[in-house]
Amino acid sequence: MSDNQLEVLQEQISAGARLRGVADRIHTEILASQTGEEALQQFAEAARQLIGARYCAIGVARAGGESLEEFLTAGLTPSELEAIGAKPRGAGILGLLLQRETPLRLEKLSQHTSSAGIPAHHPPMESFLGVPIRYDQTVLGSIYLTEKPGGFTEEDERTIQALSMHLAVAIRNWQLLKRQRALVAGLIAAQEEERRAVAYDLHDGLTQYVMAAHMHLAAFQRVYGKDDEDLTLGLKYLKDAVVESRRLVNGLRSLALDDMGLAGALAQLVQEEKVRAGWVEADFLHNVEGERFSPSLVTAVYRVAQEALTNARKHAVAQQVQVTLLQEGANLLLLTITDDGCGFDPGRTHADEKHIGLHGMAERVRLLEGTLLIESAPGKGTQLSASFPVSYHEEEKQR
């Protein structure tokens, strides 16, 4: 084997290794990412560097493959992207690739009959390589590379075709995850609607009957039974029942979330529970003032805090309680609730009231792909930590 042949073979082996590395990264990062877009953009950058192109983009098709749902780029600066304006939706060459099953390689992009021109302030792009991304017979999108010195080669085309097959699997998995997350959001919304319906039934039904009974007995007492201790005690119980039913209605509807947002609603919840439980100290610390999260995330965090504080009030015999809600980086929301109460053994599996509540919290956190950690021991107090991924919920908020 000549030196030149050896060099070519070594370069092919090296290119193959880089190809496998990029493909492995696609699967790992897209499936680990909470958004998917970040991983796709990282892949576009890796493909751009692998081929030696100046620019790369990945277009993800909408259902039916007639237009683009998402368009991610590599090689353009933030200021260039801002100057270009709205993302393309699949016109011209981009739309043509959604209809093709084979790659498209051009020396001059502007000379193709399907070229629709480029927006104002867009950098010039001539040499072009576009490869459809398909899963079985389904169009998932396309990958585009432009501006390679000397133009694109057949080897570049084969390389991107190989990468597109890995990318197709990863995009498909990401789409399935998005559907699953949409179903979870729908489930949480349905649960909240059911709670609201129960709240209205309580308010318009049971609470009204209890209030009416209290009013009639109070009138009876004024006329006939001013000194009757049993009647006085019964009136007290009815009054307490009215207060409790109103508390239940407010807890089921969580109107504070709509009025004050997550931070405000939690601050109110902590103070209400402090008064009810008689805690000496109850603090709420957070760094999310003014932050907006998706409805399903807000609801889950609030409900977990609500259940945890109810458990602390009913079972912990605590004097001090602290609630913290911290956003760590862009992708994590951490709720921590600590008390100095009697504690318990988290390893117990008895289906008592307290553990039923813990199971409910764990299920809420699990539905949103978060984690729940409970640290406690008899006589040692309790700390509950629930972490929730943030970024993918932005998809839900924007729909």
Side-chain angles (χ1 to χ4, degrees):
M1 178 180 295
S2 67
D3 291 342
N4 288 339
Q5 290 175 321
L6 181 60
E7 289 178 4
V8 170
L9 179 59
Q10 288 175 337
E11 177 58 30
Q12 289 175 341
I13 293 173
S14 178
R18 292 197 302 271
L19 180 62
R20 288 191 297 272
V22 172
D24 290 342
R25 195 186 312 167
I26 300 170
H27 292 288
T28 301
E29 292 181 354
I30 287 184
L31 295 180
S33 170
Q34 296 302 330
T35 63
E37 289 92 339
E38 292 177 2
L40 289 176
Q41 192 154 4
Q42 290 175 17
F43 170 70
E45 177 61 31
R48 183 183 74 84
Q49 294 183 17
L50 182 65
I51 297 301
R54 185 171 182 182
Y55 306 108
C56 181
I58 295 174
V60 180
R62 296 184 184 277
E66 296 181 356
S67 62
L68 295 178
E69 175 183 10
E70 189 57 77
F71 191 81
L72 303 117
T73 64
L76 291 167
T77 66
S79 59
E80 287 175 328
L81 287 171
E82 183 178 358
I84 291 171
K87 294 180 179 180
R89 292 305 176 191
I93 292 289
L94 304 187
L96 174 65
L97 275 168
L98 294 178
Q99 310 302 319
R100 289 176 63 98
E101 297 184 5
T102 58
L104 178 64
R105 185 157 46 98
L106 303 171
E107 292 184 5
K108 288 188 176 296
L109 176 62
S110 59
Q111 294 181 359
H112 194 277
T113 55
S114 295
S115 179
I118 58 176
H121 309 296
H122 197 292
M125 295 183 178
E126 286 296 341
S127 59
F128 175 87
L129 172 61
V131 176
I133 303 172
R134 290 175 173 265
Y135 187 90
D136 291 334
Q137 299 302 313
T138 303
V139 178
L140 298 182
S142 303
I143 179 170
Y144 326 94
L145 296 104
T146 60
E147 291 299 286
K148 178 180 179 178
F152 295 96
T153 65
E154 291 185 8
E155 182 63 28
D156 295 334
E157 186 176 310
R158 287 192 293 268
T159 298
I160 296 302
Q161 275 188 291
L163 286 177
S164 72
M165 291 188 288
H166 294 280
L167 184 57
V169 175
I171 291 178
R172 179 63 175 167
N173 289 339
W174 171 45
Q175 290 176 333
L176 293 175
L177 283 174
K178 288 181 68 176
R179 291 176 188 173
Q180 177 185 343
R181 289 162 178 169
L183 289 173
V184 168
L187 174 61
I188 292 174
Q191 289 175 340
E192 288 304 302
E193 285 301 314
E194 184 66 21
R195 294 174 74 102
R196 286 174 180 265
V198 173
Y200 284 124
D201 287 344
L202 280 174
H203 180 269
D204 296 339
L206 180 61
T207 302
Q208 301 303 318
Y209 285 121
V210 174
M211 291 178 64
H214 182 274
M215 292 174 60
H216 281 287
L217 284 180
F220 179 86
Q221 184 185 45
R222 286 194 296 270
V223 176
Y224 299 107
K226 294 183 179 180
D227 299 325
D228 191 311
E229 294 183 0
D230 290 336
L231 184 57
T232 299
L233 184 60
L235 283 168
K236 177 183 180 302
Y237 287 151
L238 284 173
K239 185 177 181 179
D240 290 344
V242 171
V243 172
E244 179 65 11
S245 65
R246 285 174 174 168
R247 186 193 68 81
L248 290 173
V249 167
N250 291 335
L252 285 168
R253 289 192 296 184
S254 63
L255 296 179
L257 280 175
D258 298 330
D259 297 337
M260 296 183 289
L262 180 57
L266 285 178
Q268 176 177 294
L269 177 65
V270 170
Q271 289 307 307
E272 288 176 349
E273 291 294 344
K274 176 184 179 182
V275 172
R276 293 193 70 215
W279 294 326
V280 174
E281 184 177 337
D283 298 321
F284 174 51
L285 306 174
H286 68 90
N287 66 352
V288 298
E289 189 67 42
E291 293 289 338
R292 295 178 62 249
F293 304 106
S294 69
S296 60
L297 178 58
V298 166
T299 299
V301 172
Y302 183 83
R303 293 302 183 196
V304 169
Q306 187 179 46
E307 184 64 37
L309 290 172
T310 298
N311 282 346
R313 170 171 52 83
K314 289 183 176 181
H315 308 294
V317 196
Q319 294 298 311
Q320 295 181 328
V321 174
Q322 184 175 73
V323 179
T324 62
L325 181 65
L326 302 176
Q327 184 169 3
E328 299 185 351
N331 299 327
L332 187 66
L333 196 61
L334 180 61
L335 173 70
T336 305
I337 300 175
T338 306
D339 69 63
D340 65 348
C342 60
F344 69 102
D345 179 7
R348 291 178 57 195
T349 58
H350 303 308
D352 56 27
E353 179 184 358
K354 175 166 59 178
H355 285 80
I356 291 175
L358 294 179
H359 294 323
M361 284 188 287
E363 180 64 15
R364 279 191 178 274
V365 175
R366 187 193 66 79
L367 280 174
L368 294 188
E369 301 177 18
T371 59
L372 180 68
L373 176 64
I374 299 175
E375 299 177 89
S376 185
K380 300 294 185 180
T382 300
Q383 177 170 291
L384 178 146
S385 300
S387 62
F388 301 85
V390 170
S391 50
Y392 84 75
H393 299 287
E394 297 306 302
E395 299 168 4
E396 173 200 342
K397 189 170 67 178
Q398 293 168 7
R399 280 198 299 269

